[in-house]
PDB file of all heavy atoms in Angstrom:
ATOM      1  N   PRO A  33     -99.027-111.682  57.274  1.00  0.00           N
ATOM      2  CA  PRO A  33    -100.271-110.941  57.521  1.00  0.00           C
ATOM      3  C   PRO A  33    -100.074-109.448  57.112  1.00  0.00           C
ATOM      4  O   PRO A  33     -99.089-108.879  57.329  1.00  0.00           O
ATOM      5  CB  PRO A  33    -100.428-111.070  59.003  1.00  0.00           C
ATOM      6  CG  PRO A  33     -98.985-111.289  59.561  1.00  0.00           C
ATOM      7  CD  PRO A  33     -98.301-112.028  58.457  1.00  0.00           C
ATOM      8  N   SER A  35    -102.553-107.414  58.136  1.00  0.00           N
ATOM      9  CA  SER A  35    -103.283-106.686  59.177  1.00  0.00           C
ATOM     10  C   SER A  35    -102.358-106.342  60.336  1.00  0.00           C
ATOM     11  O   SER A  35    -101.479-107.149  60.687  1.00  0.00           O
ATOM     12  CB  SER A  35    -104.464-107.553  59.691  1.00  0.00           C
ATOM     13  OG  SER A  35    -103.979-108.743  60.272  1.00  0.00           O
ATOM     14  N   LEU A  36    -102.569-105.190  60.934  1.00  0.00           N
ATOM     15  CA  LEU A  36    -101.676-104.724  61.995  1.00  0.00           C
ATOM     16  C   LEU A  36    -101.776-105.538  63.251  1.00  0.00           C
ATOM     17  O   LEU A  36    -100.793-105.686  63.989  1.00  0.00           O
ATOM     18  CB  LEU A  36    -102.007-103.231  62.348  1.00  0.00           C
ATOM     19  CG  LEU A  36    -101.607-102.266  61.208  1.00  0.00           C
ATOM     20  CD1 LEU A  36    -102.070-100.879  61.605  1.00  0.00           C
ATOM     21  CD2 LEU A  36    -100.136-102.301  60.953  1.00  0.00           C
ATOM     22  N   ASP A  37    -102.897-106.213  63.544  1.00  0.00           N
ATOM     23  CA  ASP A  37    -103.053-106.958  64.771  1.00  0.00           C
ATOM     24  C   ASP A  37    -102.139-108.172  64.793  1.00  0.00           C
ATOM     25  O   ASP A  37    -101.657-108.565  65.859  1.00  0.00           O
ATOM     26  CB  ASP A  37    -104.517-107.375  65.005  1.00  0.00           C
ATOM     27  CG  ASP A  37    -105.086-108.216  63.854  1.00  0.00           C
ATOM     28  OD1 ASP A  37    -104.617-108.093  62.744  1.00  0.00           O
ATOM     29  OD2 ASP A  37    -105.983-109.017  64.153  1.00  0.00           O
ATOM     30  N   ARG A  38    -101.816-108.763  63.674  1.00  0.00           N
ATOM     31  CA  ARG A  38    -100.928-109.948  63.650  1.00  0.00           C
ATOM     32  C   ARG A  38     -99.459-109.587  63.255  1.00  0.00           C
ATOM     33  O   ARG A  38     -98.566-110.370  63.299  1.00  0.00           O
ATOM     34  CB  ARG A  38    -101.462-110.971  62.689  1.00  0.00           C
ATOM     35  CG  ARG A  38    -102.721-111.631  63.184  1.00  0.00           C
ATOM     36  CD  ARG A  38    -103.229-112.797  62.283  1.00  0.00           C
ATOM     37  NE  ARG A  38    -102.107-113.758  62.052  1.00  0.00           N
ATOM     38  CZ  ARG A  38    -101.940-114.341  60.877  1.00  0.00           C
ATOM     39  NH1 ARG A  38    -102.684-114.049  59.847  1.00  0.00           N
ATOM     40  NH2 ARG A  38    -100.881-115.164  60.696  1.00  0.00           N
ATOM     41  N   TRP A  39     -99.307-108.334  62.810  1.00  0.00           N
ATOM     42  CA  TRP A  39     -98.015-107.930  62.245  1.00  0.00           C
ATOM     43  C   TRP A  39     -96.872-107.989  63.231  1.00  0.00           C
ATOM     44  O   TRP A  39     -95.764-108.488  62.910  1.00  0.00           O
ATOM     45  CB  TRP A  39     -98.105-106.599  61.607  1.00  0.00           C
ATOM     46  CG  TRP A  39     -96.940-106.236  60.804  1.00  0.00           C
ATOM     47  CD1 TRP A  39     -96.697-106.617  59.556  1.00  0.00           C
ATOM     48  CD2 TRP A  39     -95.826-105.511  61.272  1.00  0.00           C
ATOM     49  NE1 TRP A  39     -95.451-106.163  59.169  1.00  0.00           N
ATOM     50  CE2 TRP A  39     -94.877-105.454  60.151  1.00  0.00           C
ATOM     51  CE3 TRP A  39     -95.449-104.869  62.455  1.00  0.00           C
ATOM     52  CZ2 TRP A  39     -93.675-104.826  60.248  1.00  0.00           C
ATOM     53  CZ3 TRP A  39     -94.213-104.226  62.534  1.00  0.00           C
ATOM     54  CH2 TRP A  39     -93.386-104.219  61.438  1.00  0.00           C
ATOM     55  N   ALA A  40     -97.042-107.465  64.412  1.00  0.00           N
ATOM     56  CA  ALA A  40     -95.912-107.480  65.397  1.00  0.00           C
ATOM     57  C   ALA A  40     -95.466-108.892  65.765  1.00  0.00           C
ATOM     58  O   ALA A  40     -94.255-109.126  65.826  1.00  0.00           O
ATOM     59  CB  ALA A  40     -96.376-106.736  66.694  1.00  0.00           C
ATOM     60  N   LEU A  41     -96.369-109.827  65.914  1.00  0.00           N
ATOM     61  CA  LEU A  41     -95.982-111.178  66.213  1.00  0.00           C
ATOM     62  C   LEU A  41     -95.229-111.769  65.026  1.00  0.00           C
ATOM     63  O   LEU A  41     -94.228-112.497  65.224  1.00  0.00           O
ATOM     64  CB  LEU A  41     -97.234-112.020  66.483  1.00  0.00           C
ATOM     65  CG  LEU A  41     -97.031-113.490  66.819  1.00  0.00           C
ATOM     66  CD1 LEU A  41     -96.136-113.638  68.066  1.00  0.00           C
ATOM     67  CD2 LEU A  41     -98.346-114.189  67.096  1.00  0.00           C
ATOM     68  N   PHE A  42     -95.695-111.511  63.817  1.00  0.00           N
ATOM     69  CA  PHE A  42     -94.991-111.953  62.639  1.00  0.00           C
ATOM     70  C   PHE A  42     -93.585-111.398  62.568  1.00  0.00           C
ATOM     71  O   PHE A  42     -92.645-112.107  62.321  1.00  0.00           O
ATOM     72  CB  PHE A  42     -95.774-111.560  61.358  1.00  0.00           C
ATOM     73  CG  PHE A  42     -95.029-111.820  60.114  1.00  0.00           C
ATOM     74  CD1 PHE A  42     -95.010-113.117  59.549  1.00  0.00           C
ATOM     75  CD2 PHE A  42     -94.332-110.829  59.480  1.00  0.00           C
ATOM     76  CE1 PHE A  42     -94.259-113.348  58.419  1.00  0.00           C
ATOM     77  CE2 PHE A  42     -93.602-111.064  58.307  1.00  0.00           C
ATOM     78  CZ  PHE A  42     -93.571-112.321  57.812  1.00  0.00           C
ATOM     79  N   ALA A  43     -93.381-110.059  62.842  1.00  0.00           N
ATOM     80  CA  ALA A  43     -92.107-109.442  62.740  1.00  0.00           C
ATOM     81  C   ALA A  43     -91.178-110.024  63.805  1.00  0.00           C
ATOM     82  O   ALA A  43     -89.978-110.231  63.557  1.00  0.00           O
ATOM     83  CB  ALA A  43     -92.220-107.958  62.905  1.00  0.00           C
ATOM     84  N   ASP A  44     -91.731-110.319  64.992  1.00  0.00           N
ATOM     85  CA  ASP A  44     -90.887-110.969  66.058  1.00  0.00           C
ATOM     86  C   ASP A  44     -90.353-112.330  65.593  1.00  0.00           C
ATOM     87  O   ASP A  44     -89.240-112.677  65.809  1.00  0.00           O
ATOM     88  CB  ASP A  44     -91.683-111.130  67.330  1.00  0.00           C
ATOM     89  CG  ASP A  44     -91.861-109.819  68.129  1.00  0.00           C
ATOM     90  OD1 ASP A  44     -91.002-108.908  67.885  1.00  0.00           O
ATOM     91  OD2 ASP A  44     -92.730-109.725  68.904  1.00  0.00           O
ATOM     92  N   SER A  45     -91.259-113.126  64.961  1.00  0.00           N
ATOM     93  CA  SER A  45     -90.873-114.461  64.487  1.00  0.00           C
ATOM     94  C   SER A  45     -89.797-114.349  63.363  1.00  0.00           C
ATOM     95  O   SER A  45     -88.859-115.108  63.329  1.00  0.00           O
ATOM     96  CB  SER A  45     -92.065-115.204  63.886  1.00  0.00           C
ATOM     97  OG  SER A  45     -92.980-115.499  64.954  1.00  0.00           O
ATOM     98  N   ALA A  46     -89.977-113.343  62.520  1.00  0.00           N
ATOM     99  CA  ALA A  46     -89.003-113.134  61.434  1.00  0.00           C
ATOM    100  C   ALA A  46     -87.602-112.729  62.027  1.00  0.00           C
ATOM    101  O   ALA A  46     -86.596-113.192  61.567  1.00  0.00           O
ATOM    102  CB  ALA A  46     -89.449-112.039  60.431  1.00  0.00           C
ATOM    103  N   ARG A  48     -86.514-113.555  65.067  1.00  0.00           N
ATOM    104  CA  ARG A  48     -85.897-114.725  65.678  1.00  0.00           C
ATOM    105  C   ARG A  48     -85.233-115.604  64.643  1.00  0.00           C
ATOM    106  O   ARG A  48     -84.121-116.085  64.837  1.00  0.00           O
ATOM    107  CB  ARG A  48     -86.975-115.521  66.456  1.00  0.00           C
ATOM    108  CG  ARG A  48     -87.121-115.108  67.861  1.00  0.00           C
ATOM    109  CD  ARG A  48     -87.993-116.071  68.679  1.00  0.00           C
ATOM    110  NE  ARG A  48     -89.303-116.249  68.162  1.00  0.00           N
ATOM    111  CZ  ARG A  48     -90.314-115.436  68.379  1.00  0.00           C
ATOM    112  NH1 ARG A  48     -90.137-114.314  69.085  1.00  0.00           N
ATOM    113  NH2 ARG A  48     -91.517-115.665  67.863  1.00  0.00           N
ATOM    114  N   ARG A  68     -84.106-106.327  66.361  1.00  0.00           N
ATOM    115  CA  ARG A  68     -85.541-106.438  66.180  1.00  0.00           C
ATOM    116  C   ARG A  68     -86.066-105.270  65.394  1.00  0.00           C
ATOM    117  O   ARG A  68     -86.857-105.440  64.486  1.00  0.00           O
ATOM    118  CB  ARG A  68     -86.207-106.560  67.506  1.00  0.00           C
ATOM    119  CG  ARG A  68     -87.750-106.701  67.424  1.00  0.00           C
ATOM    120  CD  ARG A  68     -88.397-106.770  68.819  1.00  0.00           C
ATOM    121  NE  ARG A  68     -89.782-106.916  68.745  1.00  0.00           N
ATOM    122  CZ  ARG A  68     -90.689-105.961  68.574  1.00  0.00           C
ATOM    123  NH1 ARG A  68     -90.253-104.694  68.421  1.00  0.00           N
ATOM    124  NH2 ARG A  68     -91.979-106.158  68.503  1.00  0.00           N
ATOM    125  N   MET A  72     -88.024-105.272  61.864  1.00  0.00           N
ATOM    126  CA  MET A  72     -89.370-104.645  61.777  1.00  0.00           C
ATOM    127  C   MET A  72     -89.395-103.659  60.613  1.00  0.00           C
ATOM    128  O   MET A  72     -90.385-103.657  59.848  1.00  0.00           O
ATOM    129  CB  MET A  72     -89.739-104.029  63.118  1.00  0.00           C
ATOM    130  CG  MET A  72     -89.913-105.057  64.163  1.00  0.00           C
ATOM    131  SD  MET A  72     -91.065-104.831  65.496  1.00  0.00           S
ATOM    132  CE  MET A  72     -92.509-104.144  64.876  1.00  0.00           C
TER     133      MET A  72
END
Side-chain angles (χ1 to χ4, degrees):
S35 64
L36 291 177
D37 58 333
R38 291 187 51 219
W39 190 82
L41 180 61
F42 172 80
D44 283 340
S45 294
R48 272 191 300 280
R68 179 181 182 277
M72 294 211 40

